[in-house]
Amino acid sequence: MVKKLCILFTFYRYYIWVSLLVNLICAFFLWKNGIGMYPMLFWFKIFTMGASFYLINDYRKQIYFYFHNFGLSKKVLWIFSLLFDLLLFFAMMILAYNLR
């Protein structure tokens, strides 16, 4: 189980920097402008997640073979990565709102 989690985080590493940058920008705008900004930030995050999904699928197709050898399908990789990314986004939004 721990080995599979490490492998899943290895896949998440392919777009973690973009994800963290988007999360920090969204948290800053929520902190600066208040909760009224949240719906726009949420949809911006969903859009960037879709863009990441498209770009990695289009330009990094060969990486799926590595993860397939560990018994992880493309679907499992993306479900874990996108859910973890969304959870991280929600945590940062709550933190930014509470620090306001």
Side-chain angles (χ1 to χ4, degrees), residues 59-96:
Y59 294 108
R60 296 261 183 153
K61 293 178 187 176
Q62 70 278 8
I63 64 169
Y64 295 118
F65 294 117
Y66 172 78
F67 297 103
H68 183 70
N69 288 335
F70 288 106
L72 296 170
S73 67
K74 184 166 43 168
K75 185 178 179 180
V76 169
L77 292 169
W78 279 110
I79 288 173
F80 171 80
S81 296
L82 294 177
L83 284 177
F84 182 75
D85 190 30
L86 205 55
L87 182 66
L88 189 61
F89 171 74
F90 289 140
M92 291 180 85
M93 292 298 104
I94 291 169
L95 182 64

Side-chain angles (χ1 to χ4, degrees), residues 12-97:
Y12 182 66
R13 199 178 61 184
Y14 283 103
Y15 69 97
I16 192 170
W17 298 113
V18 173
S19 172
L20 286 176
L21 180 65
V22 169
N23 287 344
L24 287 172
I25 290 170
C26 289
F28 174 75
F29 278 110
L30 184 76
W31 175 74
K32 196 78 168 160
N33 299 314
I35 197 72
M37 191 85 166
Y38 180 75
M40 186 177 72
L41 296 173
F42 176 77
W43 289 112
F44 176 69
K45 178 63 180 175
I46 296 296
F47 172 76
T48 58
M49 288 170 70
S52 296
F53 175 78
Y54 172 75
L55 290 172
I56 290 174
N57 271 335
D58 200 41
Y59 294 108
R60 296 261 183 153
K61 293 178 187 176
Q62 70 278 8
I63 64 169
Y64 295 118
F65 294 117
Y66 172 78
F67 297 103
H68 183 70
N69 288 335
F70 288 106
L72 296 170
S73 67
K74 184 166 43 168
K75 185 178 179 180
V76 169
L77 292 169
W78 279 110
I79 288 173
F80 171 80
S81 296
L82 294 177
L83 284 177
F84 182 75
D85 190 30
L86 205 55
L87 182 66
L88 189 61
F89 171 74
F90 289 140
M92 291 180 85
M93 292 298 104
I94 291 169
L95 182 64
Y97 181 71

